[in-house]
Amino acid sequence: MAEMGKGGTAGKLAISVQKRLTRAQEKVMQKLGKADETRDAAFEEMVANFNKQMTEGGKLQKDLKAYLLAVKTMHDASRRLQDCLADMYEPDWFGKEEMDALTEEMIEKEMDNNLEDTDTLWLDYHQNIMDKPLTSLDSYLAQFPDIKARIAKRDRKMVDFDSARHHFSSLQKGKKKDEAKIAKAEEELGRAQKIFEELNVELQDELPSLWDNRVGVYVNTFQGLAGHQEKFHGEMSKLSQNLNDIMTKLEEQRELKKDASAAAKTGEGSRSEGTNHSESASSAPKNAVTNGSDGDLPPGFLYKVKAVHEYAATDGDELELKIGDDVLVLAFDNPDEQDDGWLLGVLEAHWLQNKDTSAKGVFPENFTQKV
């Protein structure tokens, strides 16, 4: 049995080798113009379209896989970047004196959720592209190898058909006709023609349909990709806005802390300045207090200021100011009662008319200017 098997294999190999030799001889004869070649311009155009379609599909598949790899790389980079931010984000940046502990907890929790949601979005985005656009494209391209093999087989069977046709024709034209050989050659020609035409008809039906299907495949691929991109970037923009809001809060708190520190220093300077003014006032003659110019002020006044902004009093001990009003500044009876940035005085017009300070009141220093 083993020997028969070997003999059968050897016989098939010999037939295969003989077919290749016959086809090679036929192709040589056709190139030399000594044998007619079956040509089908319409089919050749279909094959050219098929090869173009297969090349474009392969490129699209390769680029889509590269895009997926880039998404994964970007995800990893984004995760490392946000991990870095989380590691550096210190609760004491906001200051325990300046920030409520509950608000601080909310911000830290919001950041934790932000990192978790971002990771989920990246993973879903990557998986959605793999499950839909790429899987659909893979299925589309999976049919090309089989069709390519059948096109190659159709080409081989066409050469066999040409070879059988030429052999039959040469026998018919021979001077000595061998009817048995002619009959066998005719039989072989019929068989070769049938095999070729079956393959040819099948491919002529499939190739145009496959060529038209490429439009739907490209639409589905890019429409699906665009839909996933829109959803992903939309959700990411919300999280990015949350992160931006957190950073804005951090900057605002930093500015508030800086302003508070600057105000504290200004207050110390104002208290020191107020002490100097009090000392100057006490050391100067009561009826010779000056306003920084050559003119003298009425006794008891420190200096004179002019209102450069209107000020509407909001309390009974405050002085109403209009732009251009001259105010005579008084010292506080108790320096500890003076608030930073506030002065005590009486309108000069009132003093000139009544010669008393009964209408005195406090007013913001930055609404006036020394004269």
Side-chain angles (χ1 to χ4, degrees):
M1 295 293 291
E3 290 299 324
M4 287 180 64
K6 288 182 180 180
T9 301
K12 289 181 179 179
L13 180 60
I15 294 172
S16 177
V17 171
Q18 182 59 46
K19 282 185 177 181
R20 286 200 293 270
L21 288 173
T22 302
R23 288 168 185 157
Q25 290 172 356
E26 184 65 23
K27 296 299 289 183
V28 171
M29 295 290 287
Q30 288 174 348
K31 288 180 180 180
L32 293 175
K34 295 182 178 181
D36 294 334
E37 180 181 3
T38 301
R39 300 296 300 271
D40 188 337
F43 186 83
E44 290 173 2
E45 184 179 352
M46 293 178 195
V47 173
N49 288 338
F50 170 82
N51 290 330
K52 180 176 182 289
Q53 184 178 1
M54 183 170 59
T55 301
E56 289 177 346
K59 185 178 185 304
L60 177 58
Q61 183 187 51
K62 179 182 177 181
D63 289 344
L64 187 56
K65 287 181 178 179
Y67 180 84
L68 268 172
L69 181 60
V71 169
K72 186 177 185 305
T73 302
M74 190 63 186
H75 177 200
D76 293 340
S78 176
R79 180 189 296 163
R80 288 195 298 271
L81 185 62
Q82 295 205 33
D83 285 346
C84 180
L85 173 61
D87 290 341
M88 294 188 301
Y89 193 85
E90 301 173 9
D92 59 356
W93 279 354
F94 296 96
K96 291 185 179 179
E97 294 88 6
E98 291 80 10
M99 272 203 67
D100 183 273
L102 179 60
T103 304
E104 190 171 307
E105 264 181 39
M106 285 175 59
I107 291 176
E108 290 179 355
K109 183 178 180 181
E110 187 178 353
M111 287 193 68
D112 291 341
N113 289 339
N114 198 53
L115 292 171
E116 180 181 352
D117 290 346
T118 301
D119 196 55
T120 301
L121 283 176
W122 278 108
L123 291 173
D124 287 347
Y125 181 45
H126 186 276
Q127 191 62 45
N128 284 335
I129 297 175
M130 283 192 64
D131 289 346
K132 296 174 183 176
L134 185 59
T135 300
S136 176
L137 184 60
D138 288 345
S139 298
Y140 165 70
L141 290 174
Q143 59 191 320
F144 281 82
D146 174 66
I147 296 177
K148 183 179 180 180
R150 286 195 287 132
I151 290 174
K153 183 177 180 181
R154 179 259 184 198
D155 290 344
R156 293 193 302 272
K157 296 305 179 181
M158 183 179 68
V159 175
D160 291 345
F161 169 55
D162 285 343
S163 178
R165 181 161 55 86
H166 297 151
H167 179 58
F168 175 68
S169 178
S170 64
L171 288 177
Q172 282 185 320
K173 293 177 181 179
K175 293 180 179 180
K176 294 183 179 180
K177 298 184 184 302
D178 188 330
E179 296 300 330
K181 287 184 178 181
I182 292 175
K184 184 178 180 182
E186 186 177 12
E187 183 182 346
E188 290 177 354
L189 173 59
R191 184 167 51 252
Q193 183 176 4
K194 181 182 179 182
I195 294 173
F196 165 69
E197 288 181 348
E198 285 178 354
L199 287 170
N200 193 50
V201 169
E202 287 178 1
L203 290 170
Q204 284 182 342
D205 289 339
E206 290 183 38
L207 291 178
S209 177
L210 180 65
W211 176 247
D212 290 339
N213 286 344
R214 77 194 190 287
V215 177
V217 171
Y218 297 159
V219 168
N220 290 336
T221 299
F222 284 99
Q223 197 171 55
L225 180 61
H228 294 311
Q229 286 177 331
E230 182 181 11
K231 180 181 178 182
F232 169 74
H233 290 298
E235 294 296 327
M236 283 295 292
S237 67
K238 295 177 185 177
L239 296 179
S240 297
Q241 184 60 52
N242 291 341
L243 186 58
N244 183 59
D245 291 343
I246 293 170
M247 295 297 100
T248 301
K249 292 174 187 177
L250 175 60
E251 177 63 15
E252 288 174 353
Q253 292 298 328
R254 186 182 71 87
E255 291 295 333
L256 288 174
K257 187 174 181 180
K258 184 171 69 174
D259 292 345
S261 177
K265 291 181 180 178
T266 303
E268 292 176 1
S270 299
R271 287 194 294 273
S272 174
E273 184 180 343
T275 302
N276 292 338
H277 279 306
S278 298
E279 290 174 354
S280 299
S282 61
S283 61
K286 288 186 179 181
N287 58 352
V289 178
T290 66
N291 63 351
S293 64
D294 294 336
D296 291 339
L297 289 174
F301 293 103
L302 302 177
Y303 52 92
K304 184 164 66 173
V305 297
K306 183 181 290 291
V308 294
H309 300 287
E310 287 191 4
Y311 178 72
T314 59
D315 208 342
D317 65 343
E318 295 180 359
L319 197 64
E320 189 98 9
L321 297 179
K322 293 181 180 178
I323 296 176
D325 284 347
D326 289 323
V327 185
L328 301 175
V329 179
L330 291 161
F332 281 81
D333 294 334
N334 182 0
D336 292 337
E337 294 179 355
Q338 182 177 5
D339 293 328
D340 293 337
W342 289 80
L343 298 175
L344 176 65
V346 63
L347 291 174
E348 183 179 43
H350 176 85
W351 165 259
L352 292 175
Q353 184 178 354
N354 301 293
K355 301 299 182 183
D356 65 43
T357 59
S358 60
K360 66 183 179 181
V362 295
F363 58 92
E365 182 179 10
N366 59 357
F367 277 60
T368 64
Q369 171 180 317
K370 273 190 179 183
V371 294

